Amino acid sequence: MKREKLQQLKVTVNCELDEQVRILGYNQGGEGLRGRGEHLNRTADFARGYVVMKFATDEYAKGSLRQEFKPREEIVVMCYTIGGHSGGPCVNQQGEVIGILSRADSAEKHRCYLVPACEWKPLVKKAKKLSLF
């Protein structure tokens, strides 16, 4: 396999309302794994959208390990996403990562939620200390 020199994406903790964004991922077309020994669709693509809200969640509580890894903030983006985008970065017009796609709204498919960079960077550090990675 040929080695490639890939550049790391820059991360920012800043995002503005109505800011144009792109969510990067791999379009699975709802199919995912096709069968034993077959592979996933590995076609990279993106979805366009914009930031509509940033809010504090009320789900944060100390206690179980799972609770400790829930974000305390989320960013709401209006953007049609598909299977394969989850876990992908959301970048602004400067190519900086503002968050990671967490989930789509089950009631409004074009509304999705990001874990902002200010939340996941500390969570990754915490996970490394617990030897989860």
Side-chain angles (χ1 to χ4, degrees):
M1 179 178 258
K2 182 181 171 184
R3 285 191 160 228
E4 296 182 42
K5 291 187 178 183
L6 301 175
Q7 290 186 345
Q8 181 176 342
L9 293 172
K10 292 182 179 163
V11 177
T12 182
V13 295
N14 301 316
C15 73
E16 302 293 327
L17 292 180
D18 296 321
E19 183 174 17
Q20 298 295 308
V21 295
R22 308 288 187 271
I23 296 177
L24 311 175
Y26 289 93
N27 183 348
Q28 297 303 315
E31 297 174 16
L33 287 173
R34 300 179 194 277
R36 187 179 178 130
E38 295 182 28
H39 63 280
L40 289 169
N41 179 355
R42 302 209 188 271
T43 305
D45 72 352
F46 65 92
R48 296 174 191 203
Y50 60 96
V51 175
V52 293
M53 179 188 320
K54 189 173 183 179
F55 67 96
T57 64
D58 58 354
E59 297 179 10
Y60 182 76
K62 289 230 176 214
S64 72
L65 188 60
R66 183 181 180 117
Q67 283 295 109
E68 287 190 39
F69 282 91
K70 286 190 175 181
R72 293 173 291 177
E73 282 183 35
E74 287 186 297
I75 299 170
V76 180
V77 173
M78 298 306 274
C79 181
Y80 286 98
T81 58
I82 53 173
H85 285 164
S86 297
C90 180
V91 298
N92 61 18
Q93 294 286 42
Q94 292 73 40
E96 302 165 321
V97 177
I98 66 165
I100 301 296
L101 179 61
S102 171
R103 59 192 165 88
D105 191 309
S106 58
E108 292 185 56
K109 299 292 183 194
H110 60 281
R111 181 186 308 266
C112 56
Y113 299 86
L114 309 175
V115 176
C118 64
E119 286 293 306
W120 60 259
K121 287 177 79 172
L123 292 175
V124 169
K125 286 180 183 177
K126 184 188 285 190
K128 284 181 178 180
K129 286 181 183 178
L130 295 172
S131 300
L132 295 176
F133 289 115

